[in-house]
Amino acid sequence: MNSTSSSPSRPKTDPLRIAAWAVLAATALSGFLHLAGYSLPAALPKAPLCPFRALMGLLCPGCGITHAFLSLGRLDLAGAYAQNPLVFPLAALIALYLAGRVPRAVRSGKVVNSALLGVLAFWGARLLHYVR
Protein backbone atom coordinates (compact mmCIF):
# COMPACT_ATOMS: atom_id res chain seq x y z
CA MET A 1 0.00 0.00 0.00
CA ASN A 2 1.12 3.47 -0.81
CA SER A 3 1.03 5.74 2.24
CA THR A 4 0.95 8.96 0.24
CA SER A 5 -2.37 10.50 -0.68
CA SER A 6 -3.39 12.85 -3.44
CA SER A 7 -4.68 15.52 -1.04
CA PRO A 8 -2.26 17.39 1.21
CA SER A 9 -2.83 16.83 4.90
CA ARG A 10 -3.38 19.81 7.16
CA PRO A 11 -1.04 20.17 10.09
CA LYS A 12 -2.61 19.89 13.53
CA THR A 13 -1.40 23.41 14.36
CA ASP A 14 -3.13 25.06 11.41
CA PRO A 15 -4.12 28.56 12.70
CA LEU A 16 -7.41 28.48 10.79
CA ARG A 17 -8.32 25.15 12.38
CA ILE A 18 -7.46 26.51 15.85
CA ALA A 19 -9.63 29.59 15.21
CA ALA A 20 -12.51 27.43 14.00
CA TRP A 21 -12.33 25.26 17.13
CA ALA A 22 -12.23 28.42 19.28
CA VAL A 23 -15.41 29.74 17.62
CA LEU A 24 -17.09 26.38 18.13
CA ALA A 25 -16.02 26.25 21.78
CA ALA A 26 -17.22 29.81 22.51
CA THR A 27 -20.57 29.07 20.82
CA ALA A 28 -21.01 25.89 22.86
CA LEU A 29 -19.94 27.67 26.06
CA SER A 30 -22.59 30.32 25.42
CA GLY A 31 -25.23 27.62 25.14
CA PHE A 32 -24.13 25.85 28.32
CA LEU A 33 -23.98 29.10 30.29
CA HIS A 34 -27.44 30.02 29.01
CA LEU A 35 -28.79 26.70 30.28
CA ALA A 36 -27.15 27.42 33.65
CA GLY A 37 -28.81 30.85 33.80
CA TYR A 38 -25.83 33.03 32.89
CA SER A 39 -25.46 35.41 29.96
CA LEU A 40 -22.15 35.56 28.13
CA PRO A 41 -23.26 38.42 25.81
CA ALA A 42 -23.98 40.58 28.89
CA ALA A 43 -20.32 40.21 29.87
CA LEU A 44 -19.09 41.69 26.58
CA PRO A 45 -18.13 45.36 26.60
CA LYS A 46 -20.71 47.85 25.37
CA ALA A 47 -18.06 49.79 23.44
CA PRO A 48 -17.60 48.67 19.81
CA LEU A 49 -15.07 45.88 19.46
CA CYS A 50 -14.70 46.61 15.75
CA PRO A 51 -11.90 49.05 14.90
CA PHE A 52 -13.73 50.17 11.74
CA ARG A 53 -16.85 51.00 13.72
CA ALA A 54 -14.84 52.72 16.46
CA LEU A 55 -13.09 54.94 13.88
CA MET A 56 -15.85 55.53 11.33
CA GLY A 57 -19.03 55.03 13.35
CA LEU A 58 -20.36 52.67 10.65
CA LEU A 59 -20.99 48.93 10.69
CA CYS A 60 -18.57 46.63 8.88
CA PRO A 61 -19.71 43.30 7.35
CA GLY A 62 -18.57 41.46 10.47
CA CYS A 63 -20.16 43.74 13.06
CA GLY A 64 -22.39 41.68 15.33
CA ILE A 65 -20.86 38.33 14.38
CA THR A 66 -19.62 37.64 17.94
CA HIS A 67 -23.09 38.21 19.38
CA ALA A 68 -24.59 36.23 16.49
CA PHE A 69 -22.45 33.17 17.32
CA LEU A 70 -23.32 33.52 21.01
CA SER A 71 -27.01 33.61 20.02
CA LEU A 72 -26.47 30.44 17.98
CA GLY A 73 -25.06 28.82 21.11
CA ARG A 74 -28.35 29.61 22.86
CA LEU A 75 -30.23 28.27 19.80
CA ASP A 76 -31.70 31.76 19.31
CA LEU A 77 -31.77 31.70 15.50
CA ALA A 78 -33.81 34.91 15.19
CA GLY A 79 -31.40 36.72 17.51
CA ALA A 80 -28.42 35.43 15.55
CA TYR A 81 -29.99 36.61 12.29
CA ALA A 82 -30.76 40.02 13.79
CA GLN A 83 -27.14 40.45 14.90
CA ASN A 84 -25.60 39.45 11.56
CA PRO A 85 -27.24 37.29 8.86
CA LEU A 86 -23.82 36.17 7.61
CA VAL A 87 -23.52 33.97 10.72
CA PHE A 88 -25.38 31.08 9.04
CA PRO A 89 -23.18 30.58 5.97
CA LEU A 90 -20.11 31.23 8.11
CA ALA A 91 -21.19 28.66 10.72
CA ALA A 92 -21.85 26.12 7.95
CA LEU A 93 -18.43 26.77 6.43
CA ILE A 94 -16.72 26.40 9.84
CA ALA A 95 -18.54 23.11 10.46
CA LEU A 96 -17.56 21.78 7.03
CA TYR A 97 -13.98 22.90 7.53
CA LEU A 98 -13.68 21.19 10.91
CA ALA A 99 -15.18 18.03 9.45
CA GLY A 100 -12.67 18.19 6.60
CA ARG A 101 -15.50 18.32 4.09
CA VAL A 102 -15.13 21.68 2.38
CA PRO A 103 -16.11 20.91 -1.22
CA ARG A 104 -13.46 21.52 -3.85
CA ALA A 105 -15.80 23.93 -5.64
CA VAL A 106 -15.94 26.14 -2.55
CA ARG A 107 -12.16 26.48 -2.65
CA SER A 108 -12.18 27.63 -6.27
CA GLY A 109 -11.45 31.23 -7.13
CA LYS A 110 -14.83 31.73 -8.82
CA VAL A 111 -16.79 30.73 -5.70
CA VAL A 112 -14.53 32.75 -3.40
CA ASN A 113 -14.90 35.82 -5.63
CA SER A 114 -18.68 35.36 -5.72
CA ALA A 115 -18.76 35.06 -1.92
CA LEU A 116 -16.69 38.23 -1.54
CA LEU A 117 -19.03 40.04 -3.93
CA GLY A 118 -21.97 38.83 -1.84
CA VAL A 119 -20.34 40.12 1.36
CA LEU A 120 -19.73 43.49 -0.29
CA ALA A 121 -23.37 43.64 -1.45
CA PHE A 122 -24.50 42.79 2.09
CA TRP A 123 -22.26 45.53 3.46
CA GLY A 124 -23.62 48.06 0.99
CA ALA A 125 -27.20 47.20 1.93
CA ARG A 126 -26.31 47.36 5.62
CA LEU A 127 -24.70 50.77 5.22
CA LEU A 128 -27.70 52.11 3.29
CA HIS A 129 -30.00 50.92 6.06
CA TYR A 130 -27.68 52.32 8.76
CA VAL A 131 -27.29 55.75 7.11
CA ARG A 132 -31.06 56.27 6.74
Side-chain angles (χ1 to χ4, degrees), residues 105-116:
V106 172
R107 291 179 265 161
S108 76
K110 186 181 283 188
V111 172
V112 171
N113 289 340
S114 298
L116 288 175

Side-chain angles (χ1 to χ4, degrees), residues 54-78:
L55 290 172
M56 305 298 285
L58 299 171
L59 299 174
C60 80
C63 280
I65 204 77
T66 301
H67 285 275
F69 269 103
L70 296 177
S71 293
L72 276 183
R74 296 188 312 273
L75 300 178
D76 177 10
L77 302 181

Side-chain angles (χ1 to χ4, degrees), residues 4-5 7-8 24 32 48 55-56 72 78 83 99 106 110 116 119:
T4 61
S5 64
S7 64
L24 182 66
F32 290 130
L55 290 172
M56 305 298 285
L72 276 183
Q83 292 293 332
V106 172
K110 186 181 283 188
L116 288 175
V119 169

Side-chain angles (χ1 to χ4, degrees), residues 9-26:
S9 63
R10 289 179 294 230
K12 297 278 188 212
T13 57
D14 177 17
L16 189 57
R17 183 170 286 280
I18 292 168
W21 278 111
V23 168
L24 182 66

